[in-house]
Amino acid sequence: MSQRIGNVGLLNLVNATEESIKGVERIENVGLVLYGKENAHLLTKLNIGNIGSSLEIPVGYRLFNGVFTLDHNYLSSIVEPVFLLVNGVVIIDKNVQADQVQSGQLNLVVNGTVYSPSHLSGVAGKLLSKGTGAVETYHGAPPRLENGKFTLTNSFLQSVEEPLYLVVNGLLTFAQDLNLDQFNEKINKLEVNGKISLHENQEVYLYKKVSSLTTCIVEVIPEGYEVLAKPLRLNARSIRRFQKKKWYTNKPVIIESDVSREMLTKAVEKIYSTSVIICPEEIEDLVYERLSLMETEVLPYENNFILIDGEEVWTNDQFLALDQPVTLIVNGQLILDGDVSEEALRSKVSTLDVLGEVIVREKKFKGILQNVIRLNTGTIEVEKGKEETGNTLQNIGELSL
């Protein structure tokens, strides 16, 4: 059976053969392809949508993924030539001597970044004579690397003993109460590959520490706004805990039908939302008055609504069990089961908002749903048969064929 593959971070073809790749129908996106000289021709035989970069591994080299640290002790321990391709990061410790790197015992090809003390920057540049990447120099301690989600807090800053070169691959969040004088003192240099989320008063301090923002997105939270990290659902009881709040969120805000105009006026002053706000029609105008962004979608409902936020399969009986027509809001994935009838859809779905994905069994159901669509920033697709989809893999960090 043919195989379709979604996204692959690293595709290793070094040991690939005509036989090993013949079952692959298509690969959508690949970050890096590694191949050997003897099987480079196989790359053209694969159906790949997008390739970030490709690199030939010289004969005799072995692959290392991740963070490779070069220090004095490691280089002194080498008794015979080492041939290594590093896919990731090389950190050269400040105790390394230039002649140790230039001795010829260590042969590196680097696909990534080399962090070097300033006095060895010339040597580090030679490590990139093959491969791709850049050399970043540091003063003082070697850089500290954090991957994934990392929050910069006062406790972290207090633990730093000397000015730090901090590298974050992922999401960097500044704590709201971050001591900015301490940040200025303890963070010598900042590099982020991904996204930075911080408050308005912290923005100027960030710009003093980064040399470039081309590898990240900066999200600035306006002064006085409280961040909602997860969807917020308000009813007549829960809304009482808020007094003139300003909210900043990229998650849905859901307002139940028992929330009155007076309750909303008392609880919420402003909403900065890049997501959607679901509310009764009676208070729709008040919600609009509180929006800070023109592009925020407000989805009013008349009687009732159903929010699909994950993955759900709905049957005909589920639709028929509804007392009255509903507003259906699909923020995740909704799959209509094979027994869902035209009558059930026409009589039970009054309005449809597609922010995610709706999958139907037959083409005619797409037409039925089109009649009730109010907002469509997602997709409505007809489910493909198993014979069409074959065996599918979605996201793979490293794949060897």
Side-chain angles (χ1 to χ4, degrees):
M1 179 180 289
S2 62
Q3 189 173 53
R4 297 179 67 89
I5 300 170
N7 302 311
V8 177
L10 170 64
L11 177 60
N12 189 341
L13 299 179
V14 174
N15 298 313
T17 63
E18 299 273 356
E19 182 69 19
S20 69
I21 69 168
K22 73 176 185 181
V24 178
E25 180 184 336
R26 179 176 170 81
I27 302 175
E28 295 299 332
N29 302 294
V30 176
L32 171 67
V33 180
L34 298 177
Y35 58 92
K37 185 176 182 179
E38 68 284 358
N39 60 9
H41 64 285
L42 296 178
L43 186 56
T44 61
K45 295 188 175 184
L46 282 167
N47 180 11
I48 301 177
N50 300 293
I51 297 177
S53 60
S54 60
L55 187 62
E56 178 184 317
I57 296 185
V59 175
Y61 278 68
R62 61 188 175 88
L63 175 64
F64 180 91
N65 275 312
V67 181
F68 185 73
T69 300
L70 279 183
D71 60 18
H72 179 81
N73 290 337
Y74 172 77
L75 290 169
S76 298
S77 69
I78 297 176
V79 295
E80 56 184 39
V82 173
F83 299 89
L84 201 62
L85 187 152
V86 177
N87 178 46
V89 170
V90 174
I91 298 177
I92 303 176
D93 194 273
K94 57 187 177 184
N95 63 13
V96 169
Q97 302 299 313
D99 59 349
Q100 287 185 294
V101 181
Q102 294 173 318
S103 67
Q105 289 291 82
L106 178 63
N107 300 274
L108 285 182
V109 175
V110 181
N111 181 62
T113 303
V114 177
Y115 293 97
S116 166
S118 55
H119 69 281
L120 292 176
S121 60
V123 175
K126 294 179 181 177
L127 294 176
L128 295 177
S129 59
K130 293 181 180 179
T132 59
V135 175
E136 296 286 345
T137 58
Y138 67 87
H139 303 276
R144 172 168 173 160
L145 275 62
E146 298 287 347
N147 297 315
K149 295 180 180 179
F150 181 76
T151 299
L152 203 48
T153 64
N154 290 327
S155 297
F156 173 80
L157 292 179
Q158 289 164 12
S159 71
V160 175
E161 295 182 350
E162 62 177 310
L164 184 65
Y165 183 172
L166 178 63
V167 180
V168 178
N169 299 305
L171 170 63
L172 172 65
T173 302
F174 282 50
Q176 190 168 2
D177 64 344
L178 192 68
N179 185 322
L180 295 174
D181 289 335
Q182 200 166 45
F183 169 79
N184 204 36
E185 176 190 345
K186 295 294 185 70
I187 301 299
N188 184 32
K189 188 175 180 180
L190 185 60
E191 177 185 329
V192 179
N193 304 299
K195 181 178 178 180
I196 303 171
S197 179
L198 77 172
H199 295 265
E200 196 171 8
N201 65 313
Q202 300 165 335
E203 195 176 4
V204 65
Y205 290 84
L206 166 70
Y207 296 146
K208 291 179 180 177
K209 299 298 179 181
V210 292
S211 58
S212 173
L213 291 171
T214 56
T215 57
C216 69
I217 299 169
V218 179
E219 176 187 59
V220 180
I221 301 164
E223 191 67 29
Y225 279 71
E226 183 177 315
V227 178
L228 301 179
K230 57 184 181 180
L232 179 65
R233 195 164 191 134
L234 295 171
N235 56 39
R237 292 177 62 85
S238 63
I239 199 171
R240 293 177 183 171
R241 59 186 165 135
F242 300 112
Q243 296 288 330
K244 292 294 181 184
K245 286 292 184 181
K246 294 180 179 178
W247 289 327
Y248 182 97
T249 183
N250 55 14
K251 306 291 184 184
V253 174
I254 302 163
I255 303 174
E256 302 280 7
S257 58
D258 59 352
V259 174
S260 66
R261 296 177 68 87
E262 291 72 23
M263 290 175 181
L264 184 66
T265 302
K266 187 177 179 182
V268 184
E269 184 177 332
K270 281 289 183 183
I271 304 174
Y272 188 113
S273 172
T274 54
S275 183
V276 298
I277 299 174
I278 302 167
C279 66
E281 287 183 343
E282 292 76 16
I283 62 172
E284 179 185 3
D285 60 318
L286 288 181
V287 172
Y288 274 114
E289 289 175 8
R290 278 151 180 76
L291 295 182
S292 299
L293 291 178
M294 291 285 291
E295 57 266 35
T296 302
E297 294 285 356
V298 178
L299 307 177
Y301 60 89
E302 182 179 359
N303 299 314
N304 201 357
F305 72 92
I306 293 173
L307 174 64
I308 308 291
D309 212 15
E311 179 181 326
E312 294 188 24
V313 179
W314 271 60
T315 65
N316 199 58
D317 287 343
Q318 283 177 277
F319 282 107
L320 294 179
L322 298 172
D323 293 332
Q324 54 189 340
V326 299
T327 294
L328 195 57
I329 303 167
V330 181
N331 196 38
Q333 184 186 62
L334 171 65
I335 301 172
L336 299 187
D337 203 13
D339 67 347
V340 173
S341 67
E342 294 182 41
E343 180 187 1
L345 280 186
R346 293 184 190 279
S347 62
K348 298 300 183 181
V349 181
S350 60
T351 306
L352 174 64
D353 298 309
V354 185
L355 311 172
E357 183 179 30
V358 178
I359 297 177
V360 299
R361 305 296 190 192
E362 299 178 45
K363 290 182 179 178
K364 65 179 180 182
F365 290 106
K366 285 186 68 174
I368 295 170
L369 293 177
Q370 291 290 346
N371 293 325
V372 292
I373 283 181
R374 176 177 58 180
L375 172 67
N376 187 3
T377 58
T379 59
I380 301 178
E381 300 289 343
V382 178
E383 185 184 52
K384 296 177 180 178
K386 291 182 179 179
E387 67 279 3
E388 293 179 74
T389 58
N391 190 7
T392 301
L393 297 173
Q394 290 301 322
N395 300 302
I396 302 174
E398 180 177 345
L399 175 65
S400 297
L401 294 177

